[in-house]
Amino acid sequence: MKKLISYFLLLLLVLSITDLKAQNEKFKALFMYNFTKYIEWPGDKQSGDFVIGILGNSPMKKELEVIATKKKVGSQPIKVKVFNSINDIGSCHILFIPSGKSSSLDEVKARVGGKGVLIITDRTGFGRKGSGINYVLKGGHQDFEINKSTMAEQRLKVNSALYSLGTVIN
């Protein structure tokens, strides 16, 4: 009986952790979409599809695809693309680098530097390493860091309201 109760409690714990992770991915996807309301991309990126790229596999893809079916960025329809490797990275507005691919940040920056791409990472310390926005957990809640100099290097104009919502890194 004790084994059965222990097994049941362990199962509940696993399911609740899975639910928390899924909920966290939804929050991050919504954050990502909402960032677009505070950022102006260079003129050459203000027509056609608004492309959100993901480097490798991430549960974020599913959440972003749900948003893409319902929302636009300005008048631009949202398209979600997965890039399997750095060499596959094509034109995009946002490039999300999941924590499992974070070791590729320097190579990604070299590939998309100055091309008006908002690089978003999901690993502690990566806001300081040069991503434009880095997701962090603060007090158990989803938050973000925003790197001012990286945003400027990428020719992205950021509304000051976005700086007030996150933690600014110069």
Side-chain angles (χ1 to χ4, degrees):
M1 185 68 168
K2 285 183 181 181
K3 276 188 176 183
L4 184 60
I5 291 172
S6 295
Y7 177 76
F8 181 71
L9 290 174
L10 182 61
L11 181 62
L12 284 176
L13 179 65
V14 169
L15 290 174
S16 66
I17 289 171
T18 303
D19 285 345
L20 282 173
K21 285 184 178 183
Q23 189 68 25
N24 202 32
E25 294 303 315
K26 282 184 183 182
F27 283 134
K28 287 188 250 182
L30 287 170
F31 268 68
M32 191 179 296
Y33 171 72
N34 284 317
F35 294 149
T36 67
K37 298 174 183 179
Y38 297 93
I39 298 171
E40 181 181 328
W41 274 261
D44 60 326
K45 292 208 166 224
Q46 294 183 9
S47 61
D49 293 335
F50 187 94
V51 179
I52 300 175
I54 301 171
L55 183 59
N57 293 322
S58 170
M60 181 86 74
K61 179 180 185 265
K62 176 184 168 190
E63 301 303 332
L64 290 169
E65 286 175 336
V66 169
I67 291 170
T69 63
K70 300 174 185 176
K71 303 285 187 181
K72 290 183 176 186
V73 175
S75 62
Q76 295 174 273
I78 300 171
K79 300 292 179 199
V80 180
K81 292 186 179 179
V82 173
F83 302 115
N84 293 316
S85 74
I86 293 168
N87 292 330
D88 293 339
I89 297 172
S91 179
C92 58
H93 294 76
I94 296 175
L95 181 62
F96 176 65
I97 304 174
S99 61
K101 293 284 190 174
S102 58
S103 63
S104 304
L105 179 61
D106 290 335
E107 291 176 82
V108 168
K109 285 174 37 184
R111 183 161 182 93
V112 302
K115 295 182 179 176
V117 177
L118 170 58
I119 299 171
I120 299 178
T121 53
D122 190 17
R123 188 157 185 189
T124 303
F126 273 64
R128 295 198 184 285
K129 290 190 176 196
S131 64
I133 293 177
N134 183 50
Y135 291 123
V136 293
L137 284 175
K138 283 190 178 176
H141 299 291
Q142 191 62 58
D143 205 352
F144 65 94
E145 303 168 325
I146 184 166
N147 187 315
K148 274 183 137 176
S149 60
T150 298
M151 299 299 258
E153 289 167 8
Q154 286 291 19
R155 304 179 301 132
L156 301 173
K157 294 180 185 173
V158 180
N159 184 305
S160 60
L162 184 59
Y163 290 125
S164 69
L165 296 172
T167 302
V168 177
I169 297 171
N170 287 319

